[in-house]
Amino acid sequence: MLVLLPPSEGKADSGRGAPLKPESLSLPGLAEARAAVLDELVELCLTDEERAREVLGLSEGLRGEIAKNAELKVAGARPAGEIYTGVLYDALGLSTLDAAAKRRATKSLLVFSGLWGAVRINDRIPSYRCSMGVKLPGLGALGAYWRGPMAEALPEAAGEGLVLDLRSSAYASAWKPKGELAGRTATVRVLHAQLVDGVEKRSVVSHFNKATKGRLVRDLLLAGAQPADPAELVTVLRDLGYVVEAEQPTRPGRPWALDVVVTEIH
């Protein structure tokens, strides 16, 4: 099972560890594309702070992120699972998983990134600021930029098993499974159901959507679940206590769409 995750907007400090070693990152097929994004981002932040703030979409209060980006090649690096914070990662709680679940997380979790393309949680990276929605002056929109490299690298990473896609739309734009691989891919939407004047209303709540996805992945890892396809995933999630509604693709080359329906927000 390969689980595709978005990164977090906020990130932990890099710390004082050894700096980035690009050659050590997973998915070596992305190395050339990573180097190009890293070089342009660092150069932009070193030479034109105001332009960098505009390109990165940063408020005045986040101007310090530009200086952080300028030091990416020499900054300390930590495992990506420690760098990414935020609602989904708080709910996932990587540091509190047992040893077996941590091993499963290392093998199955893949975090998408505007800067790195995609990394595994044990890949050592510095803290950075560069979302998939950024449009760099030279390389252009990163969502589009990554499609070619991802199309080459991701099918091999997916292997023959299930792909559980929990990415937000911006990160999903960088790679969409095709053909037979799409047929064993499941996307997940979290819906909050509540009664309003006796009628059930459903809505998507961003914060809660992220938290539920984090808990869902944590439960799968702790259970040691290895569903082979979307149909088995639905069964596993229901056994774990989730209310899941599944929509099978109506034609080949489309993923399954799963709705996880919850009644409490926490």
Side-chain angles (χ1 to χ4, degrees):
M1 177 174 66
L2 182 68
V3 182
L4 310 181
L5 297 175
S8 58
E9 192 73 13
K11 299 172 183 68
D13 290 336
S14 296
R16 298 182 178 275
L20 170 72
K21 295 181 179 179
E23 69 278 4
S24 72
L25 298 179
S26 302
L27 305 179
L30 300 178
E32 185 176 344
R34 285 171 177 150
V37 179
L38 179 61
D39 286 347
E40 181 170 353
L41 180 62
V42 169
E43 181 67 17
L44 173 66
C45 292
L46 275 172
T47 60
D48 193 338
E49 183 175 305
E50 200 56 42
R51 177 66 171 143
R53 189 167 74 88
E54 178 185 336
V55 168
L56 296 173
L58 300 177
S59 66
E60 183 62 35
L62 292 173
R63 186 179 287 272
E65 298 291 298
I66 300 169
K68 182 166 70 175
N69 279 351
E71 298 293 320
L72 283 173
K73 294 182 180 181
V74 296
R78 295 167 60 186
E82 297 177 13
I83 291 290
Y84 295 117
T85 60
V87 176
L88 188 153
Y89 291 91
D90 285 347
L92 174 54
L94 288 168
S95 65
T96 61
L97 293 173
D98 60 44
K102 285 180 179 177
R103 287 194 295 271
R104 297 183 197 110
T106 298
K107 292 179 180 179
S108 63
L109 304 188
L110 195 65
V111 184
F112 274 60
S113 162
L115 174 53
W116 314 114
V119 293
R120 296 194 183 275
I121 60 168
N122 60 330
D123 285 334
R124 297 180 64 85
I125 59 174
S127 184
Y128 66 96
R129 189 75 171 220
C130 184
S131 73
M132 194 65 80
V134 164
K135 185 176 181 180
L136 291 174
L139 297 177
L142 291 177
Y145 169 80
W146 280 112
R147 285 174 199 155
M150 291 288 194
E152 295 292 328
L154 267 293
E156 181 179 355
E160 301 297 324
L162 167 73
V163 176
L164 175 55
D165 190 352
L166 303 179
R167 298 171 296 167
S168 56
S169 58
Y171 291 89
S173 70
W175 180 65
K176 294 184 180 181
K178 296 181 179 180
E180 179 271 338
L181 179 53
R184 48 187 168 90
T185 297
T187 63
V188 172
R189 180 175 62 166
V190 180
L191 297 178
H192 177 220
Q194 55 185 329
L195 289 178
V196 179
D197 297 329
V199 178
E200 184 183 81
K201 303 288 186 181
R202 294 182 175 184
S203 60
V204 177
V205 182
S206 178
H207 180 283
F208 182 59
N209 170 61
K210 294 175 184 177
T212 301
K213 288 179 177 178
R215 285 192 288 269
L216 183 150
V217 174
R218 180 182 178 86
D219 288 344
L220 288 172
L221 293 171
L222 288 172
Q226 289 293 332
D229 55 42
E232 286 189 19
L233 174 64
V234 172
T235 299
V236 168
L237 290 177
R238 287 172 177 168
D239 288 345
L240 288 171
Y242 291 91
V243 176
V244 182
E245 298 175 355
E247 181 180 339
Q248 299 185 38
T250 56
R251 61 178 185 268
R254 296 296 184 109
W256 285 53
L258 308 187
D259 283 343
V260 175
V261 183
V262 295
T263 56
E264 296 182 2
I265 293 181
H266 59 91

